[in-house]
Amino acid sequence: DQQVKQNSPSLSVQEGRISILNCDYTNSMFDYFLWYKKYPAEGPTFLISISSIKDKNEDGRFTVFLNKSAKHLSLHIVPSQPGDSAVYFCAASRTYSGAGSYQLTFGKGTKLSVIP
Amino acid sequence: DGGITQSPKYLFRKEGQNVTLSCEQNLNHDAMYWYRQDPGQGLRLIYYSQIVNDFQKGDIAEGYSVSREKKESFPLTVTSAQKNPTAFYLCASRKERGNQPQHFGDGTRLSIL
């Protein structure tokens, strides 16, 4: 049972335009969400996160939106640059004390290609 | 520079052999994690440790073992019991206070000869 889903395996966007990557989750206990960027043969790099008490978080060109009622989050990249071409993973966790706290559940990733 | 170091980058194993993947961090993070990534898949948790001398199984622990004798180190052994060990293995660590992201090493690619 996939608790975090990224339904688009790939996305192509023109340089300078907006990239929108989507992620859905099923576990209502998740309350902390993250986006990671990954290049081939490298480890994922943390991009941006959002807590469930917020519905938006911005960091430079990256904005994450959270819609708790729809159990949906999205990552917006504006403007998109060729260096943004990578696989983007959505991850979710629930914050509580004790064993297993803050474990991340990952989606399968979306490969973003930014075309010059 | 602080970070997470995984070694080696590439590793080959013969059938029936155990092999150990190294993960060292100098970030003073309390929690450490091992994930496996297969083509077209997300990361799946193998084992994690929130404190020295303690570790817990993740979703796919069968055929793997770990130890956490030092805060900085969390080696993963892929045993001969792991039937499909060929994968990209990623180690991560995290400061164990509040909502903090996990930070990853650059991974080890394990292949069976």
Side-chain angles (χ1 to χ4, degrees):
Chain A
D1 178 31
Q2 220 182 324
Q3 297 188 69
V4 177
K5 297 179 185 178
Q6 294 177 257
N7 291 321
S8 298
S10 62
L11 175 68
S12 289
V13 172
Q14 286 288 125
E15 181 179 2
R17 306 294 289 267
I18 185 172
S19 295
I20 301 176
L21 296 99
N22 293 304
C23 178
D24 297 295
Y25 62 96
T26 57
N27 189 339
S28 58
M29 300 298 290
F30 288 147
D31 58 4
Y32 180 55
F33 304 89
L34 308 90
W35 284 95
Y36 285 86
K37 174 181 179 179
K38 186 180 180 301
Y39 294 116
E42 292 185 10
T45 302
F46 169 69
L47 269 178
I48 192 169
S49 63
I50 188 166
S51 164
S52 60
I53 61 173
K54 293 185 171 183
D55 54 19
K56 178 182 172 182
N57 189 26
E58 276 184 271
D59 185 1
R61 295 186 298 116
F62 302 92
T63 303
V64 57
F65 294 92
L66 176 62
N67 183 333
K68 289 187 291 293
S69 60
K71 295 192 180 68
H72 177 84
L73 64 154
S74 61
L75 174 68
H76 293 210
I77 307 173
V78 183
S80 301
Q81 299 172 353
D84 296 329
S85 297
V87 177
Y88 289 78
F89 288 99
C90 170
S93 73
R94 64 184 183 112
T95 55
Y96 67 104
S97 60
S101 61
Y102 302 99
Q103 279 189 49
L104 292 182
T105 300
F106 284 85
K108 292 187 177 182
T110 296
K111 183 176 182 180
L112 173 66
S113 300
V114 179
I115 304 160
Chain B
D1 263 40
I4 301 170
T5 302
Q6 289 189 244
S7 61
K9 183 75 173 173
Y10 300 96
L11 191 56
F12 299 92
R13 189 190 95 172
K14 291 183 180 178
E15 294 274 0
Q17 277 185 339
N18 292 355
V19 64
T20 298
L21 284 61
S22 170
C23 178
E24 303 278 331
Q25 55 98 0
N26 60 3
L27 299 167
N28 199 32
H29 285 175
D30 297 296
M32 296 186 74
Y33 307 81
W34 274 105
Y35 293 89
R36 167 182 173 138
Q37 187 190 15
D38 295 285
Q41 301 292 318
L43 281 64
R44 292 184 291 166
L45 182 65
I46 304 172
Y47 267 98
Y48 66 98
S49 167
Q50 292 176 279
I51 196 170
V52 173
N53 292 323
D54 185 59
F55 48 82
Q56 307 291 332
K57 291 182 179 180
D59 300 320
I60 54 165
E62 186 175 349
Y64 300 98
S65 66
V66 292
S67 62
R68 186 88 187 275
E69 296 176 3
K70 298 186 300 182
K71 187 175 185 177
E72 302 79 18
S73 179
F74 191 41
L76 173 75
T77 297
V78 184
T79 75
S80 56
Q82 170 50 239
K83 297 305 176 193
N84 186 19
T86 296
F88 190 51
Y89 290 88
L90 287 156
C91 178
S93 70
R94 179 184 164 277
K95 196 181 283 192
E96 193 71 354
R97 279 197 196 93
N99 280 340
Q100 298 284 343
Q102 292 180 19
H103 296 277
F104 286 83
D106 277 340
T108 293
R109 179 160 301 280
L110 175 63
S111 301
I112 301 303
L113 293 176

